[in-house]
Amino acid sequence: MASEFSWEVRVYYEDTDAGGIVYYANYLKFFERARTEWLRAIGVGQQKLLEEHDAMFVVKNVSADYHAPARLDDALKLTLVIEKLGRASVVFRQQAWCGTTLLNTAHVKVGCVDGALRPRALPDAVAAEMGRFVAN
């Protein structure tokens, strides 16, 4: 069974619109931060990845479904699993929860590129660590 990564974040005033509801685009920021924290948790520093392997990640595609609003001061749990691990790309399923309420589901495809932004294979050690998070 795949491991699910989760990371918590609090909704701040700057994350909301005039009505105190999280602005829709801010879910993408939350999900980006969760992916970064997940990489750290599996021992992959993005700066080190670039310096040692000439590899970095870029977002290629995002689709998001909004199920319920998050509000000012809510404590959110962000989760991720990998839906597809390719040779040079990864498709994540990420979700935002407030308690037991699902707020948002996003599918994010990231590609691995070199410093010149050309596609390249994931480094073997990174791909092996990521493999633990592939959904069945």
Side-chain angles (χ1 to χ4, degrees), residues 14 23 26 46-47 54 68 71 79 95 105 108 123 132:
E14 67 184 10
Y23 183 67
N26 286 334
Q46 293 187 75
Q47 189 62 39
D54 190 30
R71 292 177 162 60
T79 64
Q95 295 181 315
T105 301
V108 182
R132 297 185 304 123

Side-chain angles (χ1 to χ4, degrees), residues 5-9 29-46 57 78-80 92 94 132-133:
F5 176 79
S6 67
W7 184 67
E8 294 189 4
V9 65
K29 292 179 182 182
F30 295 154
F31 291 148
E32 175 72 29
R33 292 173 192 161
R35 287 192 311 277
T36 297
E37 294 301 327
W38 168 72
L39 284 169
R40 284 188 180 118
I42 66 169
V44 178
Q46 293 187 75
F57 297 108
L78 307 173
T79 64
L80 73 75
F92 294 95
Q94 294 188 253
R132 297 185 304 123
F133 291 85

Side-chain angles (χ1 to χ4, degrees), residues 97-103:
W97 297 82
C98 184
T100 59
T101 302
L102 177 61
L103 306 176

